[in-house]
Amino acid sequence: MIERGGLERLLAAHPQVRRLRVAFSGGLDSSVLLHWLQGLALSGYMLDAVHVDHGWRAESADWARHCVRAAAALGVDCQVIAVNGRPAPGESPEAAARSARYAALAATLDAGSALLCAQHADDQAETLLLQLLRGAGPKGLAGMAADAALGAGRLWRPLLETPRARLRAYAEQQGLLWLEDPANADPAYERSWLRQEIMPRLAVRYPALTRTLGRSARLCAQAAAAEEALAAADLAPLREGDTLRVDGLLALPAARRDAAVRGWLLERSLPLPSAAQLGALPELLTAGDDRAPCLRWPGAQLQRYRGRLHAFAPLPALAAGSVIVWPEPAQPLCLPDGSRLELRPVHGAGIAAARLHGQPLTVRYRRDGERFHPAGRRHAQTLKKLLQEAGIAPWLRSRLPLLMAGEQLVAVAGLGIACDWTAAADAAGYALAWQSQAASATMPRFV
């Protein structure tokens, strides 16, 4: 008997959800979930399934066909999505497959849809132990959430409090046919090793193992939620644009400071540092500006400048001396670092449209010795000095696009327009818009 309580709580909490989409691998757990949901005949809800083909094995296509047939036998449509689940260097196969799978599944959801996954109580217990062995904190030890956002929709796990044995009993009673993934019995995979070698031994000594570990996961989830709420409160007075005030961070106790920075990084969709990497944060916050303090880890970096902490993904290298031709100024120009320039029509401001018309435009980056006379200044100065005075962060100074008309410097993105290229008060002009993830929100986007 599978209890409906978990599903009913999810349905009640999200009345906007009308489509239930089952993540259908064809294994025992998802076969039970799909069969059970179809048997409930929920009024007012659409039920369908989606199978992700990771392309790992020659039989992947056979598995996809099995899922389509099994779903059709229940009167349920099943969509098959192929993904590349092969791991990158240094990435575990499980993590690579999971990332690819959830990215593909998220893309199928809208605001009225929920993806239902068949993870159960034993899976939750294994997850908690794996996270514990990896040294996770409360958020990791919370395991899998029964309800979470995924893409534009929701991710639900209605069987999270149901033990594996109950699902197997249901499958056998209903005469279901399912696929057995060889990886589930391969001890080369962490979870399989834990399931085959460790969990049975623990269960002999602790018969209520699955239930008690599930309770621990729920308690850790509560602790993680409390930590996140405190971190959000701590962050509020520290924010300046998309940076944080260093003095405010230093005033926080270490544990709260670390939690605030982790929360801030998650907001920015950046990977989190390890505990050891985050342990170097105080040194970063207190180092002299002349040391260009920086803290890096795969996928992200922190930099401090003029009392503010910045976070961003690693910046791609720029080819020395590169010149980018802007053939159609009426269209945005995509630059090699992923940023974008655009000329937007304005009146009485920006770059003089009359002067710009017909000029061959190019974009390049700083070289040594450029001089620039921006509008509003009495005379030209070195670009280096102007960037320092404007408070442009050192790691951005070599990345600011310089708009050139022939050999004349027209404008510097994020800084200003040359005085002899500025539109008159009664004339048409163009604002130069620069969109870049690397640039701070406190930097001008238009000049």
Side-chain angles (χ1 to χ4, degrees), residues 215-252:
R215 182 170 66 246
S216 292
R218 290 190 294 274
L219 292 172
C220 286
Q222 293 175 8
E227 180 183 88
E228 289 170 4
L230 180 59
D234 284 339
L235 280 172
L238 303 182
R239 297 181 189 275
E240 290 207 359
D242 60 358
T243 70
L244 298 181
R245 288 178 35 235
V246 169
D247 59 350
L249 283 168
L250 287 171
L252 289 173

Side-chain angles (χ1 to χ4, degrees), residues 68-407:
V68 172
R69 287 195 300 266
L74 297 172
V76 176
D77 290 333
C78 180
Q79 176 187 4
V80 176
I81 302 175
V83 301
N84 178 6
R86 293 178 175 83
E91 186 179 22
S92 76
E94 301 101 310
R98 183 169 55 252
S99 296
R101 180 168 62 251
Y102 278 109
L105 292 170
T108 72
L109 301 178
D110 58 27
S113 302
L115 180 75
L116 280 71
C117 294
Q119 287 99 344
H120 46 69
D122 294 74
D123 290 326
Q124 183 75 306
E126 292 163 4
T127 298
L128 186 146
L129 283 179
L130 285 170
Q131 293 288 355
L132 185 63
L133 293 170
R134 294 167 184 164
K139 189 173 181 66
L141 296 176
M144 297 173 286
D147 178 20
L150 181 64
R154 306 300 302 177
L155 169 61
W156 290 352
R157 297 183 174 96
L159 304 179
L160 211 50
E161 296 184 17
T162 304
R164 179 186 289 118
R166 193 174 299 171
L167 299 185
R168 178 173 287 275
Y170 178 98
E172 292 172 349
Q173 181 184 24
Q174 299 294 328
L176 302 185
L177 299 176
W178 63 86
L179 300 170
E180 290 286 358
D181 185 349
N184 288 336
D186 185 350
Y189 296 97
E190 278 187 316
R191 185 177 290 272
S192 299
W193 171 80
L194 191 69
R195 182 178 300 159
Q196 300 293 327
E197 300 292 334
I198 305 302
M199 296 296 285
R201 297 184 186 184
L202 289 173
V204 170
R205 185 65 180 260
Y206 304 99
L209 176 70
T210 298
R211 187 169 64 254
T212 54
L213 288 181
R215 182 170 66 246
S216 292
R218 290 190 294 274
L219 292 172
C220 286
Q222 293 175 8
E227 180 183 88
E228 289 170 4
L230 180 59
D234 284 339
L235 280 172
L238 303 182
R239 297 181 189 275
E240 290 207 359
D242 60 358
T243 70
L244 298 181
R245 288 178 35 235
V246 169
D247 59 350
L249 283 168
L250 287 171
L252 289 173
R256 287 170 58 184
R257 179 174 61 236
D258 290 352
V261 169
R262 284 194 297 266
W264 180 56
L265 292 170
L266 288 172
E267 288 177 3
R268 300 174 64 76
S269 300
L270 292 171
L272 296 180
S274 67
Q277 289 160 341
L278 196 56
L281 181 61
E283 181 180 354
L284 170 73
L285 297 177
T286 57
D289 278 335
D290 58 338
R291 293 177 53 190
C294 178
L295 178 59
R296 294 184 178 89
W297 62 93
Q301 63 190 67
L302 295 175
Q303 299 238 197
R304 203 198 80 225
Y305 179 63
R306 292 192 176 181
R308 301 293 177 263
L309 187 66
H310 302 251
F312 46 90
L315 304 176
L318 296 174
S322 60
V323 176
I324 303 99
V325 176
W326 198 341
E328 297 289 341
Q331 301 296 322
L333 177 67
C334 292
L335 299 175
D337 64 353
S339 66
R340 191 173 85 153
L341 282 178
E342 187 177 354
L343 288 170
R344 299 181 181 176
V346 293
H347 188 80
I351 304 168
R355 287 208 63 188
L356 208 58
H357 182 69
Q359 291 280 357
L361 299 184
T362 59
V363 174
R364 64 177 177 83
Y365 298 97
R366 275 186 63 204
R367 301 165 186 169
D368 290 335
E370 293 104 337
R371 295 182 67 80
F372 184 48
H373 188 176
R377 290 271 185 163
R378 296 179 60 183
H379 52 77
Q381 289 182 291
T382 65
L383 191 51
K384 177 179 179 180
K385 182 174 179 60
L386 289 168
L387 294 173
Q388 289 174 338
E389 290 180 357
I392 305 297
W395 59 90
L396 291 175
R397 293 172 191 167
S398 63
R399 312 184 73 86
L400 297 183
L402 310 186
L403 179 63
M404 310 292 296
E407 291 301 313

